Amino acid sequence: MRNSLAVCYGTRPQIIKASVLLQALGERWEVLAVDTGQHYDYELNALQYKQLGVRSPDVYLEVGSGAHAVQTGMILTRAADVFTSRRPWAVVVIGDTNSTLGCGLAAAQLRIPVIHVEAGMRAADALMAEEINRRVVDAFSSVLCAPSAAAERHLKLEHVSGTVVQTGDVARDVLVRNLDRLPLAADTAGWPLKPDAPFVFATLHRAELTDDARRLGNVMSGLGEVSLPVILAAHPRTKTALERHGLFHRLPPTVHLLPPLGYLQSLGCVRDARAVVTDSGGVQREAYWLGTPCVTVRQETEWEETVELAANVLVPPGQARERLPGVIEHHVRGPGGRGGWSRDAYGSGDAAARIRDAVEGCGARSA
Ligand code: UD1
C-alpha cells in the first residue's frame, strides 16, 4: 500500500473512535490503519473491534505495557519504521495517550503532516501524562480538530501553528450510530443484581487515582456509603492496584466488581444507571449524552461544558469518602433533573465527516 493516509490508535477509547474515522476517511482515501498495541487484553482491544465491526489493522506495533518512557519510545521507533517504509502523506492521531504522542512525533520528525483529533483539551496539571502528550502533539500538528468551542479557544489563545477546525467529538458519532444496539445493563454477563434493581455505575482507571493507596481507598469507601449498589467495571490497572494496596478483599459489600466491559455493554450500563461515578473523560461525555447524572472523582475535567451544564459534578478523590454519597443523592434529584440539559456541546454526531473535510481542505496531501 503506497501513498495512504495513516490512522493511528492503540487504547480502548481510541479503537472506539477509530471505528468511525477509518470508515469516513476510507471513503475518500486509502487508509493505513496502525494499532500500536498499547491495550492488548481481549476486553480492551479485540472486543471493541468485534462489537464495532472495525477492520483488522494493517500494522500492529505490539508495544504492550511499560513505563511512560519505555512505552512511548517503543511506539516512536516502531511507528517511525512504518512511516519510513510506507510514507503516508499524513498521519491522524487521536486524543492524548502515549500512542498519540509516539505516532505523532514519529510523523512530525519525518516531516509528515499530523492531524490531531481531539485537539485543544486542557487541564491545570501540566505534568499529567495526558496533558504533556496533548500539548506536545498540538504544538506540531498541521490540522487540529477541536471537539468543542472551548478547545478551539484554547488553541487560538496558544497561537498554535497548525489550522484549527471545530469538528465536534467523534465519540458522539459512535454513540449515535450504536444507540439502538445497546443491551440492557442487567443482561451483562455476571450481573450481580436483580434485573430491575437500581444501581450506580462506576469506572476508575487513572494513574493519579489508582497509584495512590489513600485516594483509591477513600473513593472505594465513598462508593460503599452510597445508598444504592455500585457496579464497578474495573480496568486491569485498577484491579491490580486494589490488590496491591490490600483493598481487594476489603471491598464494601455493596460494591460489585466486573471485568472491563465491551463498548455496547458499558454504554448500556451508563444509560440504565441512576448515576455514574468515573474518572474517564469518555464516560463523562457518554453520561452527558445519555442523560445520566455523572460524578467525576477528579479535581478538574477537560470536559468543562458537562460541569457548566450541570450534567457533571466534580468531587476530588481525597473528599470522596465524605462527599460522594451526598453529592450523588443531590445530583440525581438536582434541578437539571435526569438529562434536562442541552446535549450539543460537542457537536451533533457528524464529527468524522467534518474531520474528513478538514483534512481535505488543508491541502496536506500536497505538503
Ligand atoms: C491509557 C491512557 C489514558 C486513557 C486510557 C484509556 C496514557 C498515558 N494513558 O491509560 O489517557 O484514558 O489509556 O483506557 O497513554 N494493562 C493491561 N492490559 C492492557 C492494557 C493495560 O493489563 O491491555 C495494564 C497494565 O498493567 C498497564 C496498565 O494497565 O501497565 C496501564 O496501561 P497503560 O497503557 O499504561 O495506560 P492506561 O492506564 O490504560
Side-chain angles (χ1 to χ4, degrees):
M1 187 192 292
R2 295 209 58 85
N3 235 354
S4 50
L5 172 67
V7 176
C8 305
Y9 50 92
T11 64
R12 177 183 188 275
Q14 290 171 324
I15 297 167
I16 292 166
K17 290 166 196 162
S19 70
V20 290
L21 283 171
L22 289 171
Q23 196 181 14
L25 299 170
E27 283 166 11
R28 204 155 300 171
W29 301 288
E30 198 167 349
V31 169
L32 177 76
V34 180
D35 183 337
T36 65
Q38 178 172 346
H39 283 175
Y40 45 85
D41 277 3
Y42 174 77
E43 289 90 352
L44 299 190
N45 181 289
L47 181 56
Q48 320 308 322
Y49 274 91
K50 194 169 138 201
Q51 290 200 338
L52 295 171
V54 185
R55 71 172 172 88
S56 299
D58 301 296
V59 183
Y60 187 57
L61 301 181
E62 290 183 83
V63 299
S65 299
H68 289 308
V70 175
Q71 192 178 51
T72 310
M74 272 186 358
I75 296 168
L76 173 67
T77 48
R78 291 182 189 184
D81 283 347
V82 172
F83 300 156
T84 302
S85 63
R86 306 288 189 108
R87 292 308 303 183
W89 54 268
V91 168
V92 178
V93 295
I94 309 165
D96 54 19
T97 71
N98 291 340
S99 295
T100 317
L101 177 62
C103 293
L105 191 53
Q109 288 176 333
L110 291 164
R111 290 192 168 272
I112 298 170
V114 173
I115 293 139
H116 187 197
V117 172
E118 218 171 273
M121 305 313 294
R122 292 292 177 265
D125 182 357
L127 295 182
M128 181 171 70
E130 290 80 3
E131 187 66 13
I132 296 170
N133 293 343
R134 58 171 91 105
R135 281 181 183 263
V136 174
V137 173
D138 282 343
F140 59 60
S141 290
S142 298
V143 183
L144 299 100
C145 302
S148 66
E152 182 182 20
R153 210 163 45 241
H154 298 151
L155 294 166
K156 296 231 159 117
L157 281 171
E158 289 170 18
H159 301 289
V160 290
S161 58
T163 305
V164 179
V165 189
Q166 192 186 321
T167 56
D169 182 1
V170 280
R172 184 160 201 199
D173 299 26
V174 190
L175 183 140
V176 167
R177 268 185 204 202
N178 290 286
L179 215 43
D180 57 5
R181 300 178 61 213
L182 307 187
L184 293 174
D187 288 344
T188 305
W191 193 253
L193 309 174
K194 294 209 173 90
D196 288 330
F199 66 95
V200 167
F201 181 59
T203 76
L204 306 164
H205 77 282
R206 282 181 177 266
E208 287 73 18
L209 176 66
T210 59
D211 290 355
D212 186 315
R214 264 194 35 197
R215 276 191 209 152
L216 186 59
N218 233 307
V219 173
M220 299 316 292
S221 304
L223 288 175
E225 295 295 319
V226 174
S227 59
L228 294 173
V230 175
I231 305 293
L232 172 62
H235 183 289
R237 160 195 269 146
T238 312
K239 183 159 180 275
T240 312
L242 288 170
E243 286 164 350
R244 192 174 64 246
H245 302 320
L247 296 164
F248 191 73
H249 296 292
R250 290 193 285 123
L251 284 180
T254 51
V255 175
H256 305 273
L257 230 59
L258 288 183
L261 302 178
Y263 175 76
L264 298 175
Q265 279 81 25
S266 174
L267 270 188
C269 289
V270 172
R271 180 199 56 197
D272 294 348
R274 286 289 161 90
V276 165
V277 176
T278 192
D279 61 357
S280 145
V283 175
Q284 288 172 56
R285 274 123 72 213
E286 287 163 358
Y288 161 70
W289 289 317
L290 290 169
T292 305
C294 179
V295 178
T296 298
V297 277
R298 285 184 63 196
Q299 297 272 5
E300 58 175 337
T301 176
E302 295 78 2
W303 303 96
E304 52 200 91
E305 298 82 359
T306 59
V307 175
E308 286 157 14
L309 290 164
N312 190 8
V313 178
L314 299 175
V315 172
Q319 300 173 13
R321 191 195 304 260
E322 299 79 32
R323 291 190 50 208
L324 210 43
V327 169
I328 292 175
E329 189 87 358
H330 184 258
H331 191 18
V332 168
R333 297 178 202 285
R338 198 187 153 95
W341 47 78
S342 142
R343 315 264 171 111
D344 294 329
Y346 308 111
S348 56
D350 60 355
R354 284 166 175 265
I355 289 165
R356 186 183 58 209
D357 293 346
V359 175
E360 187 154 59
C362 80
R365 176 118 221 209
S366 57

